[in-house]
Amino acid sequence: SIPPYPFPRVYASTTGYGINFMVMERIDGIPLDCVWDELNAQQRSHIITQLRGYVAQLRALKPPPTVPSGAISSLYGRSYRDSRVSSVAVGPFPSEDAFNDFLIDVADRWIDKSLTVDTRLKMRNDHRIVFTHGDLAPRNILVKGGEVVALIDWEESGWFPEHWEFIKAMWCTGLEGD
């Protein structure tokens, strides 16, 4: 049967050798990027509608007391990993302003500083901070029979500006054309 929400149950979690581990429920499904080309327009639209609803559920979550208001952080207010931004854990950041400064600092290593200065001036610092999966790519969306059955790979999740889910999803979708 299909669960009412696509989040695998966590049975246990621990830290060892500096790495966090989780034992989660196994969900029977196929990564969306493996079946997208086989889906018709109605099935694709249905999956997109489901994903929109699941993202809305995540955004409605309230941060725990360990997360200061407006902070950019992991689930519990600590540093987080983002494989597309840094090879090491970063943050937490007290505000979107500090988070944006960090993103520009990282970009300065790869892009001409004259471009990043102009970009930073255009970046807003007043987005809502919401719970974000952080890697909502087709390879992390399990489907079965045209239904989303699980969202997996949560290690980059946390509290981020409301546009971050979209930015991360567009960074590396795994689907070309659509």
Side-chain angles (χ1 to χ4, degrees):
S1 72
I2 297 170
Y5 50 86
F7 315 119
R9 182 179 304 269
V10 175
Y11 294 119
S13 65
T14 188
T15 300
Y17 305 101
I19 300 172
N20 296 322
F21 297 93
M22 271 195 261
V23 177
M24 300 177 81
E25 172 184 21
R26 184 184 188 289
I27 304 290
D28 185 27
I30 301 169
L32 182 59
D33 60 343
C34 294
V35 298
W36 185 256
D37 291 337
E38 301 166 15
L39 300 174
N40 63 39
Q42 183 179 2
Q43 290 171 314
R44 289 178 179 189
S45 178
H46 180 63
I47 286 172
I48 290 167
T49 298
Q50 289 176 51
L51 291 171
R52 185 176 293 124
Y54 296 139
V55 168
Q57 286 180 38
L58 292 176
R59 288 179 170 206
L61 295 173
K62 302 293 180 209
T66 56
V67 178
S69 179
I72 310 298
S73 70
S74 69
L75 175 62
Y76 295 111
R78 297 188 292 259
S79 62
Y80 65 92
R81 289 197 176 274
D82 188 319
S83 60
R84 291 179 186 89
V85 176
S86 175
S87 60
V88 298
V90 296
F93 299 98
S95 65
E96 184 177 7
D97 185 47
F99 176 66
N100 286 339
D101 287 346
F102 166 76
L103 293 175
I104 290 298
D105 184 52
V106 169
D108 276 342
R109 299 175 195 151
W110 308 103
I111 300 171
D112 185 303
K113 192 162 181 78
S114 65
L115 296 173
T116 59
V117 168
D118 186 49
T119 299
R120 180 62 183 103
L121 291 172
K122 295 175 183 175
M123 294 170 77
R124 288 179 35 201
N125 298 309
D126 61 349
H127 293 95
R128 288 183 313 130
I129 306 305
V130 297
F131 190 72
T132 301
H133 178 280
D135 196 10
L136 198 55
R139 68 182 175 279
N140 295 326
I141 301 166
L142 299 184
V143 297
K144 185 176 184 181
E147 297 287 329
V148 175
V149 293
L151 303 180
I152 61 171
D153 200 12
W154 289 84
E155 68 263 15
E156 295 187 6
S157 65
W159 302 98
F160 294 92
E162 60 190 320
H163 65 283
W164 196 243
E165 195 82 82
F166 174 76
I167 287 172
K168 294 292 298 285
M170 294 306 295
W171 219 319
C172 183
T173 64
L175 297 177
E176 303 309 323
D178 287 335

